[in-house]
Amino acid sequence: MPALRFAFLKLGRLLVTIFFITSLVFVVLRVLPGDPARTIAGIDADEREVAALRAELGTDRPLPEQYLDWLWSTARLEFGTSFFHQRPVVELIRERIPLTLSLSVAAFSGALLVALPLGVAMAVRRWGAIDYLGMGFSHLAMALPEFWLAILLLLVFAVVLGWFPLFGAVSPRHFVLPVIALALSRAAVLVRLVRSSMVEELEREYVLAARAHGLPERRVRYGYALRNALIPVITVGAIQFGYLLGGSIVIEQVFSLPGLGRLLLSAIYRRDFPVVQGGVIVTAVVFSGVNFVADILYSAANPKIRMR
């Protein structure tokens, strides 16, 4: 069956991608300057203490031996123990990832709620006031860095106006500003894509034929053209969701949110290899999994992809 063969092909590529990404991270962490044992022991520790700590952490072993041991542990979903927290990495990730995923899903949903109706309205009313306003919003939101927008929102709505709390993740009000900061830049990309895709579909022959047969304009636009215009949005939307996972690292730091991104950032500073490797694996799995689902949905909406 072409559909099943297509799904297995995409699944195989997903596994290969995850393997190469995580292996690259393993090598890069050990090639870059910096010694976790020296970082933990401190600059005043003598060489014997540092050597003993290297033996305890396992970083004194040959690199191929460490790599094979890491592969075997990863295959069993055991990412080791954090050098600094002295806790299993799986537990740390399990505690932090719900917040990061919730933040990403909320921001992605907000981006879609803005991009879909605005992009369609811009395509239907090309070169009108709403089209120019939408293009202006898109250019402005794409030009603003997420961290700068996050700081600006924090200063205006938390410090000056006091509408939202400064830091923390206790109530839903703590997530409003981070979600806005993440959603605006993603909405700016998606709104341009929705507009261009919708414009292209409205100029196709089947739309002209539907109008010639006297079908209602609403049905032609939203029943036929919009359905086909959303096909490329599926793939790009999946990529944008992956960007949200990366952007959450900075946003979590700005708003002091105890998510996976902040855990990874602190682990990188501390050279905490097990946490960095485990976090990258989870992020790569989520990102690749979302793209895998998008490929399947894309092939379901466009059978020509499966046949190729």
Side-chain angles (χ1 to χ4, degrees), residues 141-142 144 146 149 180-190 240:
M142 291 178 66
L144 295 177
E146 288 180 350
L149 179 60
I180 293 175
L182 282 172
L184 283 180
S185 58
R186 305 282 73 82
V189 176
L190 292 175
Q240 294 302 312

Side-chain angles (χ1 to χ4, degrees), residues 94-141:
R94 189 185 300 124
E95 292 175 357
R96 302 293 189 98
I97 197 170
L99 187 146
T100 300
L101 288 180
S102 300
L103 186 63
S104 300
V105 170
F108 186 69
S109 302
L112 288 179
L113 289 176
V114 172
L116 290 180
L118 182 57
V120 172
M122 291 167 61
V124 172
R125 298 174 177 83
R126 271 179 292 170
W127 313 123
I130 191 171
D131 193 17
Y132 285 115
L133 288 175
M135 293 298 289
F137 158 75
S138 178
H139 285 297
L140 181 62

Side-chain angles (χ1 to χ4, degrees), residues 59-254:
T59 56
D60 61 335
R61 296 180 298 165
L63 191 61
E65 183 180 338
Q66 294 184 51
Y67 179 69
L68 292 176
D69 183 62
W70 171 79
L71 278 182
W72 173 241
S73 299
T74 303
R76 293 178 289 138
L77 299 179
E78 297 178 1
F79 302 137
T81 303
S82 169
F83 292 164
F84 282 84
H85 298 279
Q86 293 300 312
R87 293 177 57 196
V89 175
V90 174
E91 291 183 4
L92 294 173
I93 294 176
R94 189 185 300 124
E95 292 175 357
R96 302 293 189 98
I97 197 170
L99 187 146
T100 300
L101 288 180
S102 300
L103 186 63
S104 300
V105 170
F108 186 69
S109 302
L112 288 179
L113 289 176
V114 172
L116 290 180
L118 182 57
V120 172
M122 291 167 61
V124 172
R125 298 174 177 83
R126 271 179 292 170
W127 313 123
I130 191 171
D131 193 17
Y132 285 115
L133 288 175
M135 293 298 289
F137 158 75
S138 178
H139 285 297
L140 181 62
M142 291 178 66
L144 295 177
E146 288 180 350
F147 73 91
W148 187 87
L149 179 60
I151 295 174
L152 182 64
L153 292 173
L154 199 62
L155 288 175
V156 173
F157 294 101
V159 177
V160 177
L161 298 177
W163 292 355
F164 299 98
L166 273 172
F167 306 114
V170 179
S171 66
R173 295 177 65 243
H174 288 88
F175 293 91
V176 174
L177 296 181
V179 167
I180 293 175
L182 282 172
L184 283 180
S185 58
R186 305 282 73 82
V189 176
L190 292 175
V191 72
R192 295 171 66 90
L193 177 64
V194 173
R195 179 193 182 276
S196 61
S197 182
M198 188 69 177
V199 167
E200 183 179 350
E201 291 299 325
L202 288 174
E203 294 177 349
R204 292 189 180 275
E205 294 181 355
Y206 74 88
V207 172
L208 300 178
R211 288 170 175 166
H213 281 78
L215 293 179
E217 186 65 21
R218 178 177 293 272
R219 183 178 178 185
V220 173
R221 290 175 180 175
Y222 307 112
Y224 296 102
L226 180 59
R227 183 187 305 172
N228 292 324
L230 291 179
I231 293 177
V233 178
I234 295 174
T235 301
V236 177
I239 297 174
Q240 294 302 312
F241 184 82
Y243 287 156
L244 284 174
L245 294 176
S248 65
I249 295 178
V250 177
I251 297 300
E252 288 174 5
Q253 189 70 16
V254 172

